[in-house]
Amino acid sequence: MRKITSLNRGWLFHRGRADGADFMGYDDRGWREVTLPHDWSVEEPFDKANSSGTGYLPGGSAWYRKHFDLPEEASGKRVRITFGGVYKHARVWINSNYLGFRAYGYTTFTFDVTGFVRPGENVIAVSVEHEETADSRWFTGSGIYRDVTLEITDRIAFRQDGIFILTKDAEKDGEATLEIRYETIGADGARFVLLDPDGTAAGETGSEGESGTAILRLDRAKLWSPESPALYTLRAAAIRDGKEYDAAGIPVGIRTAVFDPDRGFLLNGTETKLRGVCLHHDAGALGAAVPAAVWERRLKKLKEAGANALRTAHNPPDPALLELADRMGFLVMDEAFDEWEGAKNKWWQGHNVYPPKRFGYAEDFPEWHRFDLESMVKRDRNHPSVILWSIGNEIDYPNDPYVTPLFDEVLGNNDNGKPAEERRYDPRKPDAGRLAAVAKELREIVHGLDETRPVLSALSFPELSNRTGFAEALDAVGYNYRERFYERDHADYPDRIILGSENGHAPEAWYVVRDTPYVAGQFLWTGVDFLGECRGWPWRISQAGLLDLAGYEKPLYFQRKALWTKAPFVKIAVSSGDGKWAGPWTDRFLYTGTEGEPVKAALYTNAPEAELFLNGESLGKRTLTDADGGRIVYEFSYRPGALLARVPGAEDRLATPGKASRIALRPDKPAIPADGEAAAQIEAALLDEAGTLAAGDDRRVFFQIAGDASILGIENGRPDDLTPYAEKNRETFRGRAIVYLRAGLRPGKVTLTAFTRDGLSASLTLETT
């Protein structure tokens, strides 16, 4: 038997230190009850005294305690507790017994507590320390910010992450061969049954031995791909003396994934370009404690823009993200680290404002890198979405901290304003030659657990790493903003697998991928705006995303959709600004102006030709070329009214908005489960009399909830809005905001009411079932 139960509800939380809280009998009655995932950083105000790199939100220390009961039938069983992620430096006790310390805030870890638990009441205690907020280059969050689960199995059981399923070969709608490697505790064999996506048995196999390998062959396999993410389920049972123990169900995607130095990436034998985006792990008001439903909304939009790949920048992701990638059809670069032995610059007074601080994972890497890397690979290797292991991001960034006598002075891709002394070779800093040795060790660790996927590192300085042996130590080389080296390096290193691991939004960077067979793909920086890495107070976020922090599409999104999709569409935006930042960075979905003054309208489209109308009058037809980058621009004199864009098979309208006259509340679903954990996302939009989004008339909107539910947070995506996330009000940004709700345990009706100080109001009732 195997029973997995969520332990997310009913935790008690104390902000700060609490001497003796590891003791089972500690008096915690005055502590606050919270539901996991929980991030205390977003419960407190923004403060300029905190680090700009992590979004001006606090860290600190805290304790969590959880009382839970085990039934009598748990006696004699194996009991494990798994933490999806705790940021950071977690110490864990159960029933006053110390289980251990975990350093890295992104590693999933499991404790076997069989020898410490008992039928009846048990108590878990967790201490978390995140005292220095300048320990990262992006927002980390603080606390137990991912799920916690309790697993009860037979004593004879599979080891944690002890089953590895490999596709040895596969043909579309043809034969496929799976290899199943397993490790057990106390079994003398294992039995496996594969269920197809419809739940029908498609094949079975078995093997003898406490650990071993089994082969399973299929006559007609449904292959997994982004276009058709077919998922099988492997039912696994540990065997002892002919009797079945334990029972695991593992999703399986049957697919082949091959990187070729001349043909790029081939999925199921078909050349496939990786149209990827990099993702950090927060969701604004929710911090790092992001419900799967929020990621699903984001990924759905990215998919509609043509994205087929994700990079988990720059850490092991929430397991829920990979489950969504499997189900929705995304290819994943699973990344482990942002720094190794050398601490990078951490900006705390604004981006690139010197001097930096240098706290971070580097202090834990020497002791913990093997455990953390092995944990990621073992946890994630059964996901069909995962096609690459990345062991590091920009570890070779020049002079940060690694240096080389091969270059006396050098600038990286993000070094505006860097002082002259920071650009020059300094023999007192770590030598970049060390990176090759570390990379070889990390690659060997990965291949010891999974030899089927390439090991990559995202290089910022390939012109150096080619000479130090770092690039040679990798199976594939990721180039961050170094498209200009693709052709040269392909000629110099003809066996090298090349892809863009981090790229800007310029269409020209995509054209290189599109037109160059040996370049496997690109990963845009970024898919979604994120907290931190901001330019300075009062900005709290990085605005590099296709989607803003509230999950709304930006002009960049529609430019990418024009480059990455074929189904005809058109989207109107109004342009402002000239020079470097003109274009998608300054376009807005707002048609206002001064009558008679010049105005520009940008039509984002993948159609060969477009026509724009103003108040019914044609402003002419235009032809799209590569030079337009998916964006056709019209210039004309402003008149209020309505713009209408037409392309063959699609059209779009953008009207001059009036003043906000009502609030519209729009839920992502009509009902949510009353399980104490399910989340709903509700858009609050200001509309004018005609029902047009009042994008130019933002108001502060207040929210109240009636019924068994709570408001988790409110996000508008505005980069400089410093309203504390704990508040139950927020100003709209361009007419909208998103409210995140979490259901309670009582089925019934939940009503959200929104109102402004000048009399606008609306209510929405959801069912909790």
Side-chain angles (χ1 to χ4, degrees):
M1 59 87 72
R2 175 179 291 202
K3 182 180 180 181
I4 299 176
T5 305
S6 169
L7 286 184
N8 283 347
R9 298 193 302 273
W11 286 77
L12 299 175
F13 174 72
H14 172 77
R15 179 75 162 85
R17 302 193 180 276
D19 293 340
D22 58 311
F23 175 51
M24 183 179 181
Y26 181 86
D27 184 1
D28 54 20
R29 288 174 295 177
W31 289 20
R32 175 164 63 95
E33 183 172 335
V34 298
T35 297
L36 306 183
H38 175 252
D39 179 355
W40 82 68
S41 290
V42 290
E43 295 182 337
E44 301 181 22
F46 296 93
D47 192 324
K48 192 176 181 180
N50 297 320
S51 171
S52 61
T54 52
Y56 293 111
L57 287 165
S61 60
W63 278 83
Y64 295 82
R65 286 169 57 88
K66 165 73 175 177
H67 299 250
F68 69 99
D69 288 335
L70 277 180
E72 286 291 338
E73 52 265 34
S75 297
K77 301 297 184 182
R78 185 172 302 280
V79 182
R80 297 167 173 142
I81 295 174
T82 296
F83 292 81
V86 183
Y87 202 90
K88 62 177 187 175
H89 286 184
R91 291 173 171 84
V92 184
W93 292 259
I94 191 160
N95 297 341
S96 303
N97 297 282
Y98 181 55
L99 298 177
F101 170 78
R102 296 294 182 266
Y104 198 26
Y106 302 106
T107 291
T108 293
F109 56 90
T110 297
F111 290 112
D112 188 327
V113 297
T114 303
F116 304 111
V117 294
R118 65 196 74 166
E121 185 185 27
N122 296 268
V123 179
I124 308 169
V126 183
S127 118
V128 185
E129 295 180 358
H130 180 204
E131 295 294 348
E132 178 53 69
T133 60
D135 65 335
S136 174
R137 301 186 305 114
W138 64 90
F139 176 80
T140 62
S142 302
I144 308 178
Y145 68 96
R146 292 180 184 163
D147 295 330
V148 177
T149 57
L150 174 75
E151 179 184 77
I152 302 174
T153 70
D154 299 302
R155 287 292 183 101
I156 297 170
F158 290 102
R159 292 192 179 276
Q160 185 70 26
D161 300 318
I163 299 174
F164 180 25
I165 307 151
L166 304 77
T167 301
K168 299 297 290 184
D169 55 71
E171 297 179 8
K172 186 176 181 182
D173 295 324
E175 295 181 353
T177 303
L178 303 182
E179 179 180 312
I180 306 165
R181 302 173 187 172
Y182 69 91
E183 299 175 276
T184 71
I185 304 170
D188 58 23
R191 185 175 297 137
F192 305 98
V193 177
L194 189 69
L195 307 179
D196 71 13
D198 298 322
T200 303
E204 61 181 277
T205 188
S207 182
E208 295 181 354
E210 188 172 24
S211 300
T213 300
I215 300 297
L216 193 152
R217 292 183 173 87
L218 300 176
D219 292 331
R220 294 185 62 82
K222 300 174 182 177
L223 301 190
W224 184 97
S225 70
E227 297 74 28
S228 180
L231 289 175
Y232 289 71
T233 301
L234 184 73
R235 298 292 186 195
I239 306 297
R240 177 69 178 266
D241 297 329
K243 183 179 177 181
E244 291 191 357
Y245 296 89
D246 199 359
I250 302 172
V252 177
I254 301 173
R255 55 101 179 111
T256 61
V258 175
F259 286 86
D260 184 273
D262 295 315
R263 300 175 64 192
F265 176 63
L266 293 86
L267 183 68
N268 300 324
T270 301
E271 294 177 8
T272 303
K273 292 294 186 182
L274 299 176
R275 302 184 300 274
V277 297
C278 302
L279 294 174
H280 275 314
H281 73 156
D282 75 273
L286 302 173
V290 186
V294 175
W295 276 117
E296 186 170 13
R297 172 176 174 257
R298 292 171 161 198
L299 294 184
K300 183 179 178 182
K301 292 187 176 189
L302 292 171
K303 187 98 172 176
E304 290 170 353
N308 67 0
L310 311 172
R311 176 188 178 208
T312 67
H314 305 290
N315 49 261
D318 188 337
L321 181 68
L322 296 183
E323 291 166 9
L324 285 168
D326 290 344
R327 180 164 57 84
M328 299 176 70
F330 284 92
L331 302 158
V332 176
M333 181 196 300
D334 204 346
E335 193 154 68
F337 307 120
D338 187 53
E339 61 187 27
W340 295 346
E341 297 164 333
K344 290 182 178 179
N345 291 337
K346 309 299 190 307
W347 307 114
W348 57 285
Q349 302 175 95
H351 195 59
N352 281 355
V353 177
Y354 281 80
K357 294 183 179 181
R358 290 190 176 88
F359 300 97
Y361 181 66
E363 65 191 62
D364 297 312
F365 180 90
E367 180 179 354
W368 285 97
H369 66 275
R370 175 175 290 273
F371 175 87
D372 292 326
L373 185 56
E374 288 182 344
S375 296
M376 181 186 85
V377 174
K378 291 178 71 174
R379 186 196 73 174
D380 297 346
R381 61 188 175 179
N382 284 324
H383 288 281
S385 56
V386 176
I387 58 169
L388 283 163
W389 302 115
S390 172
I391 55 174
N393 171 64
E394 296 188 346
I395 307 298
D396 62 341
Y397 198 92
N399 299 322
D400 190 13
Y402 294 96
V403 299
T404 175
L406 297 172
F407 292 85
D408 181 60
E409 182 175 351
V410 67
L411 281 175
N413 60 55
N414 196 17
D415 277 347
N416 292 334
K418 193 170 191 174
E421 62 272 18
E422 293 289 337
R423 306 178 186 185
R424 300 185 67 85
Y425 170 66
D426 184 343
R428 295 170 298 179
K429 289 185 175 182
D431 191 287
R434 169 68 179 157
L435 300 180
V438 178
K440 288 176 183 176
E441 181 196 356
L442 298 180
R443 178 176 172 270
E444 290 172 1
I445 290 171
V446 172
H447 283 328
L449 298 168
D450 174 21
E451 74 281 17
T452 69
R453 297 173 174 93
V455 173
L456 168 145
S457 190
L459 304 184
S460 67
F461 200 4
E463 57 268 48
L464 168 64
S465 294
N466 286 338
R467 300 170 67 180
T468 62
F470 184 7
E472 185 181 354
L474 306 169
D475 300 322
V477 177
Y479 290 70
N480 283 15
Y481 311 99
R482 286 295 196 265
E483 295 88 353
R484 66 183 182 274
F485 292 116
Y486 292 165
E487 184 176 3
R488 186 198 72 181
D489 283 6
H490 179 63
D492 291 346
Y493 309 96
D495 294 329
R496 176 175 294 180
I497 294 164
I498 292 175
L499 69 149
S501 43
E502 189 171 312
N503 304 85
H505 293 271
E508 292 76 17
W510 167 245
Y511 298 154
V512 173
V513 176
R514 181 194 67 185
D515 299 335
T516 310
Y518 59 80
V519 179
Q522 69 168 188
F523 288 83
L524 297 177
W525 189 260
T526 58
V528 189
D529 289 355
F530 58 93
L531 288 167
E533 203 172 14
C534 46
R535 60 185 182 181
W537 189 267
W539 280 265
R540 61 194 171 99
I541 71 174
S542 168
Q543 296 176 264
L546 300 177
L547 303 175
D548 70 19
L549 202 56
Y552 289 118
E553 301 89 335
K554 297 158 66 173
L556 281 171
Y557 172 95
F558 290 101
Q559 181 180 49
R560 192 54 41 173
K561 185 175 181 178
L563 298 173
W564 280 357
T565 67
K566 294 182 179 179
F569 86 96
V570 64
K571 183 70 175 178
I572 306 170
V574 175
S575 183
S576 62
D578 294 299
K580 178 180 179 181
W581 297 111
W585 296 98
T586 56
D587 288 353
R588 300 289 181 265
F589 305 122
L590 175 63
Y591 182 53
T592 58
T594 302
E595 191 150 4
E597 290 293 315
V599 65
K600 298 177 183 178
L603 308 189
Y604 292 93
T605 185
N606 54 12
E609 186 179 73
E611 185 173 9
L612 181 65
F613 298 84
L614 173 57
N615 297 331
E617 177 186 341
S618 175
L619 301 183
K621 292 183 178 181
R622 302 282 172 84
T623 300
L624 181 71
T625 68
D626 269 1
D628 296 314
R631 178 177 177 268
I632 299 173
V633 178
Y634 286 78
E635 296 187 42
F636 53 94
S637 297
Y638 176 77
R639 284 179 284 155
L643 295 170
L644 176 67
R646 284 187 179 144
V647 300
E651 65 180 32
D652 186 43
R653 183 177 181 274
L654 183 65
T656 304
K659 291 290 185 180
S661 63
R662 62 188 177 95
I663 302 172
L665 297 177
R666 299 163 175 162
D668 65 334
K669 60 194 75 171
I672 49 177
D675 62 2
E677 298 184 41
Q681 302 165 86
I682 300 168
E683 177 185 83
L686 299 178
L687 305 181
D688 66 12
E689 292 286 352
T692 299
L693 183 69
D697 188 24
D698 287 312
R699 313 283 180 90
R700 184 164 294 275
V701 182
F702 297 80
F703 298 92
Q704 295 177 342
I705 194 80
D708 190 18
S710 58
I711 296 175
L712 289 176
I714 308 161
E715 183 56 69
N716 59 12
R718 179 173 164 174
D720 59 347
D721 187 345
L722 299 176
T723 303
Y725 278 139
E727 297 289 336
K728 298 302 183 277
N729 67 84
R730 189 161 287 270
E731 190 169 285
T732 58
F733 183 49
R734 296 174 184 148
R736 298 182 293 193
I738 286 286
V739 183
Y740 301 108
L741 298 185
R742 180 163 58 208
L745 294 171
R746 295 193 306 273
K749 296 183 183 297
V750 169
T751 300
L752 177 70
T753 299
F755 60 93
T756 65
R757 287 197 175 101
D758 59 352
L760 303 183
S761 65
S763 293
L764 172 73
T765 298
L766 295 174
E767 296 284 343
T768 57
T769 58

